[in-house]
């Protein structure tokens, strides 16, 4: 189960790396606007906020990778960053889009469960 948890943690890190790219670099492009369901004007008006949000997603991804490679403290590091992902996903789900709960919070909660069951 430990391997399954680490694979899921790695996938969540990749997902958040993708969020970084979408929010920091693709926000105003047709791809970014389609993913987030925005008109060009909306994307332009919110691009600085999105870039800031993308940077935070990059920090989450980096922390999860750190937890995967740090043999001495990995469990604590992964626990902290997965908890951050769950909380951010729940907040986003209740304030922006319910879909965020499924895409972000649920996988992190499952990874936490698998990690602590191992």
């Amino acid at each position: 189960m430990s391997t399954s948890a680490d694979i899921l943690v790695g996938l969540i890190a990749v997902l958040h790396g993708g969020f970084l790219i979408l929010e920091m670099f693709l926000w105003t492009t047709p791809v970014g606007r389609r993913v987030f369901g925005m008109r060009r004007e909306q994307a332009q008006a919110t691009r600085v906020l999105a870039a800031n949000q993308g940077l935070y997603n990059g920090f989450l991804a980096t922390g999860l990778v750190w937890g995967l490679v740090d043999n001495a403290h990995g469990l604590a590091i992964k626990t902290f960053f997965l908890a951050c992902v769950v909380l951010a996903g729940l907040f986003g789900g209740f304030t922006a889009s319910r879909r965020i709960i499924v895409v972000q919070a649920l996988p992190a909660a499952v990874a936490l469960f698998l990690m602590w069951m191992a």
Side-chain angles (χ1 to χ4, degrees), residues 61-83:
T62 302
L64 292 171
V65 170
W66 175 30
L68 287 170
V69 300
D70 187 326
N71 292 328
H73 305 98
L75 181 64
I77 294 166
K78 289 182 287 189
T79 298
F80 173 78
F81 282 97
L82 286 170

Side-chain angles (χ1 to χ4, degrees), residues 9 25 31 34 40 48 51-55 58 60 71-72 76 91 93 95 98 102 105-107 112-113 117-118:
V9 170
F25 306 111
V31 170
R34 186 172 49 253
R40 177 174 282 149
V48 174
N52 189 339
Q53 187 170 293
L55 185 62
L60 292 173
N71 292 328
F91 183 80
T95 61
R98 296 277 189 258
V102 174
L106 183 60
L112 270 171
F113 175 77
M117 292 305 293

Side-chain angles (χ1 to χ4, degrees), residues 36 38 41 54 83-84 113:
F36 294 103
M38 293 181 299
E41 301 78 26
C84 289
F113 175 77

Side-chain angles (χ1 to χ4, degrees), residues 24-39:
M24 291 189 79
F25 306 111
L26 301 177
W27 188 257
T28 58
T29 68
V31 170
R33 292 194 323 266
R34 186 172 49 253
V35 168
F36 294 103
M38 293 181 299
R39 295 182 323 275

